[in-house]
Amino acid sequence: MASVGIIGSGTWGTALGILLYGNGHQVEIWSAFDSEAEALRSTRLHPNLGEVKIPKEIGITTDLKSAMEEKDLLVLAVPSVFARETARKMKPWLKKGQLITNVAKGIEEDTLMTLSQQIEEELPEAEVTVLSGPSHAEEVSRGLPTTCVAGAHKKETAEYVQSLFMSQVFRVYTSPDMQGIEVGGALKNVIALAAGIADGLGFGDNTKAALITRGIAEITRLGMAMGGKMETFAGLTGIGDLIVTCASMHSRNRRAGILIGQGLSMEEAMKEVKMVVEGVYSAKAALALSKKYNVSMPIVEQVNAVLFDSVSAREAVTELMLRDRRAENSGLVWEQE
Ligand SMILES: NC(=O)c1ccc[n+]([C@@H]2O[C@H](COP(=O)([O-])OP(=O)(O)OC[C@H]3O[C@@H](n4cnc5c(N)ncnc54)[C@H](O)[C@@H]3O)[C@@H](O)[C@H]2O)c1
C-alpha cells in the first residue's frame, strides 16, 4: 500500500483518487478552495462525476502541507494553467526526490514549456513523471475499462507509477518518451476544438475522420521536431487520446467547439462550458511552437484564426479545404515522377 496526495480536487484528481483508493492506497486530496473541499467532504460527490461516491476514507483538505507530508506519490491534477503556481506553492513542503506524477495537459503560453518542464523548473528536487491517455474521468470513476501510459525519465520509476495506478479496469503502459506524451496530450485539445466546430457547423463523420487524421499528422510533425517519438503519436497518448477527445461529449474542448461552430464567440462558449477549456490556451502555444520549429500546422492555424481573429468557422473550413494541393505523405516515393 502506498500513500498518495492528490494535488487538485477537480474532476480528474477526484476520479484518480477514487481509482487509487480502490487499488488499496491511502489517499488525501488537496483542494485550492475551502468551499470546494467542504462540499466534497459533506456530499462525498463531485459535481462532474454524477452519483459516484467519494469513499469516506479519502481525506479532503485545503492544507497543502498535510496533503504532501509522507506521501510516496503526489499526483498533480490542477488544470494546466494553474500547474506552475501550484508547484510554487508546494515548494516549502517538498522532500528531496519526491515522486510527482503530472496528469494535466497543456503547454505554457509564455514559455512554450510542457507541464513537466515547468514543474521541474519550480521543483528541481522532485522526480517528475506523467500519466496520460484516452481517459475521461466520468468513465474512470465508474470503473469502465481504460488505458493510460506512465512516462518517466527512468524505467524503474515508470514501472512504480504503473504499479500504483494499474487495476483490473485501468491498464497502464510505460514509456520513456515524456516529451511525446505531453505534446500529444496538450495538442489534442486544439484539434478537439476543431472537431467540435465541425460538429457545430453540422458536418459529418467524414469531416471528423479528416480532422483526426490530419490532426495527428500535425501533432506528429511538431512533436517529433520537439524531440518526441513517432511511436508515441501512433499510441494511446497520441492518436488514442485524440480519438476520444474528438468523439466524446465528455470532452469540454469539443463541447466548446460545438458552441463556437453554432455561432457563439470563444468567450461565450467558455462561459457556457463552465470548465477550463485548455485547448484555447494550447491553441496559441501550438501556433507559436509551429513557428518556432518551422512546422506546418494548418488546422492549428485555422483554430487560432477562429478563436482570436474573428474569422468565421465556415471561412476557416474553406481555407483548409482549398489549401495548395499536395501529396498525403511527402515522405513516400513515386514509382515514376
Ligand atoms: N477530466 C478528465 O477527464 C481529464 C482526464 C485526463 C486529464 N485531464 C486533465 O487534468 C487536468 C485537470 O482537469 P479536470 O477535469 O480535473 O479539471 P476541472 O475543471 O474539473 O478542475 C477544476 C478545478 O481546478 C481547481 N482550481 C481552480 N483554480 C485553481 C487554482 N488557482 N489553483 C489550483 N487549483 C485550482 C479547482 O479545484 C477546480 O475544482 C486538466 O489538465 C485536464 O486536461 C482531465
Side-chain angles (χ1 to χ4, degrees), residues 9-12 33 36 77 79 82 85 104-105 135-137 252 278:
S9 60
T11 323
W12 193 215
F33 306 103
E36 194 172 73
F82 307 123
E85 71 175 61
K105 296 171 180 172
S135 51
H136 284 304
R252 69 194 72 169
E278 288 172 315

Side-chain angles (χ1 to χ4, degrees), residues 5 59 65 90 116 118 135 156 205 224 247 252 280 297 336:
K65 179 170 181 252
M90 291 163 69
S116 71
Q118 292 169 47
S135 51
E156 188 190 1
D205 298 339
M224 287 178 67
R252 69 194 72 169
V280 170
M297 302 191 79
Q336 283 182 11

Side-chain angles (χ1 to χ4, degrees), residues 169-212:
V169 290
F170 197 83
R171 181 167 175 77
V172 183
Y173 295 85
T174 58
S175 167
D177 184 15
M178 286 177 55
Q179 182 78 341
I181 292 172
E182 291 195 276
V183 173
L187 265 60
K188 56 108 197 186
N189 286 332
V190 186
I191 308 297
L193 277 167
I197 291 171
D199 288 330
L201 286 167
F203 296 164
D205 298 339
N206 297 350
T207 320
K208 181 72 62 71
L211 283 168
I212 292 174

Side-chain angles (χ1 to χ4, degrees), residues 63-74:
D63 179 352
L64 197 50
K65 179 170 181 252
S66 156
M68 290 177 61
E69 228 168 24
E70 289 171 35
K71 298 296 191 290
D72 301 301
L73 172 70
L74 297 177

